[in-house]
Each structure stands twice: as structure tokens, then as C-alpha cells.
Amino acid sequence: MPNGRMEFMGDIYSIWLREMIRYVRARSRVVTSLITPLLWLIIFGTGFSNSLSFGAGGTTNYINFLAPGILGMTVLFTSMFSGMSVMFDKEFGFLKEILVAPVSRTSIVVGKALGGTTQAAIQGILILGLSYFIGVRISGTLGLAAALVLILVTMFFIGMGFVGLGISIATRLENIEGFQVIMNLLVLPIFFLSGAFFPVTSLPNWMKALVDINPLAYGVDALRYAVTGLHTYALMTDLAVVIGFFVLMTVVGSILFRNVR
Amino acid sequence: MKAIVTKDLVKKFEDVEAVKGINLEIEEGELFGLLGPNGAGKTTTISMLCTILKPTSGLASVFGHDVKKEPSTVRGMIGIVFQEPSLDDNLTGKENLDFHGRLYKVPRNEIAERISDVLELVELADKADVIVKKYSGGMKRRLEIARGLLHHPKVLFLDEPTLGLDPQTRLHIWEYIEKLNREKKITMILTTHYMDEADQLCDRIAIVDHGKIVAMDTPDNLKRDVGGDVVIMTVPNGSEQLKTTLEQLEFVKSTQLVDGTLRLSVDKSETAIPVFLDVARQEGIAVPSISLHEPTLEDIFIKYTGREIRAQEAAGGFAGHGPGRR
Ligand SMILES: Nc1ncnc2c1ncn2[C@@H]1O[C@H](COP(=O)(O)OP(=O)(O)O)[C@@H](O)[C@H]1O
Ligand SMILES: [Mg+2]
């Protein structure tokens, strides 16, 4: 039914558009959320650069090692926040306006996810651009164009996945207080155990196991491969995991969203 | 075809049965009111009709489309102004409407005109590009009404449309509601716990209490049903004997004693007051005030439930934790 599909795409676009208008309007938040990762990158990157280097013969300095981790962090935080903004819609009543409209629940979830991912990608690209000025260079074995494509593709799938996770959690939370708890008890560990800061190959087994089940670890690994050429997992494994994560979270998010009130 | 039909509609939450078998038949073009105190089940009933809540049992349909089986068809035909705010505060008035228009598939070549039409109607045209955060409560309410109309719904639900608004804004909103019902022939279902609102606006009213309809008719018929006039006396505590005595009088049709207020519906209102005062004096009861009025919906509510709507309002609603407007 092509008409139905047209409507489905239209609904996704409508939901996406609202997310983007809100994003553009929240300029101060956008700027703040750029400053934090850049500060991490400057302070940690510079602080450790002289004492740490990676890769064969220590060719990759720490700031280049850290940059893809910071990209991953930006995508993680932006997309989780965006997914969990469903909570604010619930709190402020706007969710009812969407739920009572003649649109499919799946198009709402996909539209939200695309909105959050677009924001995450914009943030990521801005950070990547700005990090050039503090010495970060794309210097992997891939050519520049291929590296950029890989970065965008990876950001897209982990972005979609984490918005989906955020939406799923938001549908289960009763009130806005849960938001902080989730941020501290789930999002921070996901970030710290993603290999964003340190190589995960020499970790103790229990910690390595946690990293291995963390979808962000594979995203960071793919980003790091694009930026520096270093990697822990095979690129195909990275892509398979982030795509699998995206599909899983979109399905779970859509199912949970069906019962939201 | 009927605009709305419900048959033994029931909604149970974990600990309460909010709606206990409601039967409605609402005609196309009718302005129908659900009148009842806080916690009566009005919002729950409307939520089932507009597919936000699933009925526990019973049937509900909008123009013949079952809300359980064809929720998307129903959603396409209705508009709703929720009891609680439901605007995106970070968008402008126009952007809120534009988003709504997209969700409801208003043709893109008509959208600009429709937005300016509905904004004109609720007198917000000059505020179209202002962020909703900066709107007053009354402006937000009017914008929500405008939004409910944007897609030309066949049925518009208005859940406590004037709750918490100042008297002037209320009158304004009443005017819009009447105009829309008259000019656009939109079927409207309005809930309220304001007697005057139901009386003034509705063609027909269902009085709802504890999840059930206790009376349903036109406001005039309902009032006729109480009959005669109503005398209201303020009496001290322990005036049950006075009530019993007055009840014996031949021209007294019914009596209600609620919280120090004795209501008597009477046939011969001119002679009733002196007689009542005489009886009270004989019983040694001081009556600080006595008044005569035509029956209102409040009298009908008291007749059917033995309580005042207003008293429950003051006590914060007898349901306890009914959702309030933030
Ligand atoms: N989501 C809910 N969960 C549990 N109880 C509810 C819920 N919504 C409403 N109720 C209860 O159902 C009853 C009817 O509420 P409601 O339909 O909101 O009444 P009204 O709109 O007439 O004020 C109240 O006792 C209220 O506390
Ligand atoms: Mg209500």
C-alpha cells in the first residue's frame, strides 16, 4: 500500500521536524553540550599525550586515541537524552497530543530516533571539526573519504540504537526523577566501559566481559579504526553489532511505546 | 447515524472502577455535556472514546467505528482538548498548529489558511509567532481549542475547557464553543463540573456520579423534573427535626439537608417562605438566611446524589487523587 507508506514517511518526517525545531531553539544547550566533550578532549588529551602513546611503535598519541572515544560519548549522551525526552513530553502533556493523532506508534519512534540521531551526528561532526584545531588528525589506513563515511555510518547506528534505548526506558519510568538515576547508573558505566579512554585489550577478564557486551564499545572501536587505524574487534564485528543494536532497540522501543500512556 | 454510541462502557484501574457501565447515544451536531464532580469518571470516559485508554468492557463507537477495533479511523475523525495542558511550550503557536496539521494530514496547500482561520477565531492571530511558553493560561487554552479544530474533526471533545480560567476568558471560550457548534455543525462532547457551563452551553446533559449516569436530558427538562421552585435555608447543626416537619407540608415536594443547608422544592413559592419561618420559630430554630430560586442543575445533582458538587470541590474532590490541572 504505497499510500500508507507515504503517510508513514510523512509522519516520521513530522516527528523529526519537531525534534529539530526544538534542537535549533535550544541553542545554549547545544553549545554547552559541545563545550564539555571538547574540554575532556583538551584536558585529558593534552594531559596524557606526553606519557601515553598507542599503536605499533607508539605512532598514535593519546589525543588521537581519545578523539573517537569523545565522539562516541557525544553520540551516546545526545541520543540518550533525546530518547528520554519522551519523559518530558509525558510530563508536560504533549505526548497525549501525539498519541491521539492518527499516526502509527512505529513512525513516532522512528521519527524520534532520527531526530535524536541527526542531533547526535551534528554534535559529532562539530566536535570532529573543532578537534582539528587541537591536533586531532584522521590518519588511519582508510582514505579520508572512506573514514568519514565510516564515522557517519557508525554514528548513525549507535545514535539510533541509543535513542531507542532512551525511549524504551522513558516508557517504563513513572516520573522524571528516574532520569538522573538512569543517567548515572546506566549511561555513565556504558561510557566508561566503552574503551573511550583506554585500550580494552589488557583489562581483567570481568571488566573485559562487561566491555564485550557494551554496544558502545563496538561503536567506539569502529570510530577509532576510522580515525587512527587502531582497533580491538574486526570492523565487520563492529558494524554487525551496532546495526544489530539499532534494529533491536527500534523494535523494543516500538513495542514498549505501543503501551505508553 | 449517531455520532457517539457507548454500551455498558466500563473502565477499571487496579484499585478503582472509574467508569461503571455508561450508555450514551449522541446525535450528530449535538452539544452534549457530561456534568459531574471531580473523580466522577468524565475524563476516563472521554479517554476511552478518543482511544487513549482501552475500555475494560463494553462498546464505544464514533460514527459507527469501534474505538477498540478501528482506533486509527477514530483518531482521524476526532479532535480533543485535553483537561491538562498538552502544548509544546518550546514551539510557537503557529508551529504547534503546523505540527498538528501534519499529523492529521491537512493538505499542505491549505494549511496556512486554516492556521490563520483558527487563530483568528480564538483571537490569537497576533500571537502566532510567539513561543507558547510566553502565553497566559487563557491564551494556551484558546490555542488548544484552535488546534482541536484545525483538522475539521467531525467530533470535538472538550475536557473541562474552562477549568481554572478567569470569568472573562470563560465567557469568551463559551462563545467560541457555541459559535463552532452552530456554524460548523461540529458534534461536541464537553465535560465540566461547572453547573452554569453545562446549563448555558449544552443541548443535553448527562449527570455523572461515581462512574454512572444518574440523569440525562435537556437542561430544561432536568430542571422541570425537580419542579416548582427551590427554597434554600441556612440552618444550624441538628436541624433534622425541622426537615422532617417541613417534609409533612403538602406543598413541599422534596427536601435535602446538606452541610447546614436545607433545600426544599416547593409548589407555592410565594406562601412557602412565611410558613417555613413560622415552623422554624415554633421549633426554636434561628434561620440566618432564606432564599428562593428557580431550580438549577445543582438542585438536580443533589436530588440524584444527595450531595452538592461544590462541597466536594471545596474538599478537593471525594475521589482523592483525581488528576488536577497543573
Ligand atoms: N490512570 C489512572 N489510574 C488509576 N486511577 C485513575 C486513573 N485515572 C483516573 N483514575 C481514577 O478514576 C476515577 C475517575 O477519574 P476521572 O475520570 O479523571 O474523573 P473526572 O474527570 O470526572 O474528574 C478517579 O477516582 C480517579 O482517581
Ligand atoms: Mg477530568
Side-chain angles (χ1 to χ4, degrees):
Chain A
M1 203 171 55
N3 197 17
R5 193 173 311 145
M6 282 288 289
E7 284 200 350
F8 183 71
M9 300 306 282
D11 293 337
I12 291 177
Y13 173 73
S14 310
I15 304 279
W16 176 87
L17 187 64
R18 165 176 176 252
E19 299 290 322
M20 294 317 290
I21 294 176
R22 287 170 62 93
Y23 174 71
V24 172
R25 202 145 284 161
R27 253 173 253 116
S28 59
R29 202 187 76 217
V30 172
V31 172
T32 328
S33 55
L34 277 179
I35 289 173
T36 317
L38 279 175
L39 280 179
W40 285 71
L41 194 56
I42 293 169
I43 295 169
F44 282 93
T46 319
F48 285 117
S49 254
N50 295 331
S51 43
L52 292 173
S53 56
F54 302 91
T59 44
T60 303
N61 65 4
Y62 186 64
I63 202 161
N64 276 314
F65 177 88
L66 182 61
I70 294 296
L71 273 187
M73 162 179 126
T74 306
V75 174
L76 170 71
F77 281 91
T78 313
S79 52
M80 271 304 274
F81 183 84
S82 169
M84 291 193 58
S85 70
V86 170
M87 296 235 45
F88 296 105
D89 286 346
K90 223 192 310 192
E91 186 80 8
F92 295 108
F94 192 73
L95 191 60
K96 277 191 289 198
E97 151 81 352
I98 302 178
L99 289 180
V100 81
V103 297
S104 79
R105 301 306 185 238
T106 310
S107 66
I108 299 172
V109 170
V110 173
K112 275 240 167 230
L114 281 173
T117 304
T118 310
Q119 297 167 21
I122 294 175
Q123 300 279 104
I125 291 164
L126 287 174
I127 290 193
L128 194 62
L130 290 171
S131 64
Y132 181 87
F133 299 103
I134 46 178
V136 175
R137 293 291 177 275
I138 292 178
S139 55
T141 42
L142 296 169
L144 181 64
L148 286 176
V149 170
L150 178 57
I151 289 171
L152 282 177
V153 167
T154 308
M155 287 200 300
F156 176 80
F157 287 117
I158 52 179
M160 293 294 283
F162 281 110
V163 184
L165 180 62
I167 292 174
S168 306
I169 294 170
T171 62
R172 309 303 293 171
L173 286 182
E174 281 300 323
N175 53 39
I176 219 119
E177 279 81 62
F179 190 92
Q180 272 306 322
V181 178
I182 295 296
M183 280 296 172
N184 289 325
L185 293 186
L186 184 71
V187 180
L188 283 181
I190 287 180
F191 169 45
F192 289 135
L193 292 170
S194 68
F197 287 127
F198 42 77
V200 296
T201 32
S202 49
L203 293 175
N205 279 343
W206 66 269
M207 213 165 155
K208 180 70 167 54
L210 288 175
V211 173
D212 284 343
I213 57 164
N214 179 357
L216 186 64
Y218 299 85
V220 168
D221 197 54
L223 293 172
R224 183 163 291 142
Y225 180 66
V227 176
T228 67
L230 300 174
H231 59 101
T232 309
Y233 311 102
L235 180 60
M236 281 306 134
T237 313
D238 290 338
L239 289 177
V241 171
V242 294
I243 292 171
F245 178 59
F246 148 68
V247 172
L248 179 71
M249 288 331 298
T250 306
V251 171
V252 171
S254 302
I255 292 172
L256 289 176
F257 200 77
R258 216 159 277 167
N259 297 317
V260 76
R261 273 217 315 268
Chain B
M1 172 171 292
K2 301 260 187 273
I4 303 275
V5 177
T6 73
K7 185 121 200 356
D8 301 326
L9 192 61
V10 170
K11 180 69 193 182
K12 289 192 182 114
F13 296 111
E14 298 93 68
D15 44 349
V16 268
E17 193 171 348
V19 173
K20 301 173 187 159
I22 282 200
N23 294 292
L24 288 173
E25 288 197 359
I26 298 173
E27 301 293 334
E28 185 164 5
E30 211 176 345
L31 208 174
F32 188 89
L34 290 171
L35 172 69
N38 253 336
K42 306 181 296 293
T43 299
T44 308
T45 304
I46 287 215
S47 304
M48 289 189 278
L49 284 171
C50 70
T51 75
I52 292 250
L53 285 179
K54 283 206 180 74
T56 308
S57 66
L59 293 176
S61 62
V62 179
F63 282 103
H65 298 279
D66 189 294
V67 297
K68 259 192 211 167
K69 294 189 198 119
E70 304 170 77
S72 355
T73 314
V74 172
R75 285 183 199 133
M77 292 193 298
I78 61 169
I80 174 160
V81 176
F82 294 101
Q83 178 175 342
E84 298 189 23
S86 63
L87 294 165
D88 187 335
D89 276 6
N90 290 307
L91 300 188
T92 65
K94 200 185 202 162
E95 285 165 348
N96 267 287
L97 295 177
D98 184 73
F99 179 72
H100 186 87
R102 288 175 186 279
L103 293 189
Y104 285 81
K105 326 301 184 275
V106 174
R108 290 312 290 171
N109 55 359
E110 285 177 31
I111 191 75
E113 196 184 329
R114 289 223 205 160
I115 288 180
S116 65
D117 279 355
V118 291
L119 284 176
E120 204 73 50
L121 182 75
V122 298
E123 292 167 37
L124 283 175
D126 54 331
K127 297 283 187 280
D129 295 316
V130 174
I131 305 259
V132 168
K133 221 177 258 175
K134 301 195 175 134
Y135 280 31
S136 70
M139 286 160 66
K140 285 187 189 172
R141 207 61 185 150
R142 272 145 56 200
L143 182 63
E144 286 179 316
I145 293 177
R147 187 178 67 180
L149 293 169
L150 185 76
H151 58 286
H152 296 174
K154 295 181 71 149
V155 181
L156 182 63
F157 295 95
L158 298 151
D159 197 358
E160 312 255 7
T162 64
L163 188 62
L165 299 181
D166 60 90
Q168 198 191 340
T169 313
R170 284 182 72 203
L171 284 179
H172 241 81
I173 288 183
W174 287 2
E175 277 168 28
Y176 300 132
I177 293 175
E178 276 182 323
K179 189 157 104 184
L180 288 167
N181 177 247
R182 226 178 22 243
E183 290 174 8
K184 308 232 176 207
K185 307 267 177 283
I186 297 174
T187 309
M188 296 195 185
I189 291 95
L190 168 151
T191 82
T192 185
H193 64 270
Y194 297 125
M195 258 38 74
D196 51 346
E197 186 159 288
D199 198 358
Q200 160 101 25
L201 290 176
C202 300
D203 300 324
R204 236 160 25 111
I205 297 170
I207 296 184
V208 193
D209 189 36
H210 290 306
K212 285 198 182 117
I213 293 180
V214 293
M216 176 157 53
D217 213 327
T218 63
D220 285 344
N221 281 347
L222 284 170
K223 283 185 273 189
R224 203 164 300 141
D225 186 38
V226 172
D229 285 333
V230 178
V231 174
I232 297 183
M233 302 167 74
T234 315
V235 291
N237 283 341
S239 300
E240 282 77 15
Q241 179 54 42
L242 177 63
K243 173 174 183 278
T244 319
T245 317
L246 294 179
E247 246 164 18
Q248 318 292 328
L249 294 170
E250 173 234 335
F251 58 87
V252 174
K253 292 171 58 185
S254 67
T255 62
Q256 300 281 345
L257 180 60
V258 183
D259 292 337
T261 304
L262 183 56
R263 289 166 185 263
L264 308 108
S265 59
V266 295
D267 277 337
K268 297 187 189 120
S269 50
E270 320 78 48
T271 50
I273 288 185
V275 175
F276 290 168
L277 289 176
D278 273 350
V279 175
R281 198 171 312 121
Q282 277 159 28
E283 296 206 356
I285 290 175
V287 177
S289 83
I290 186 163
S291 63
L292 176 75
H293 69 105
E294 291 185 345
T296 64
L297 292 175
E298 177 85 62
D299 299 304
I300 300 148
F301 186 76
I302 293 173
K303 174 178 167 183
Y304 284 103
T305 67
R307 302 183 318 273
E308 287 184 51
I309 289 194
R310 258 184 246 120
Q312 288 137 18
E313 258 310 284
F318 55 82
H321 48 270
R325 193 182 166 90
R326 270 186 296 265

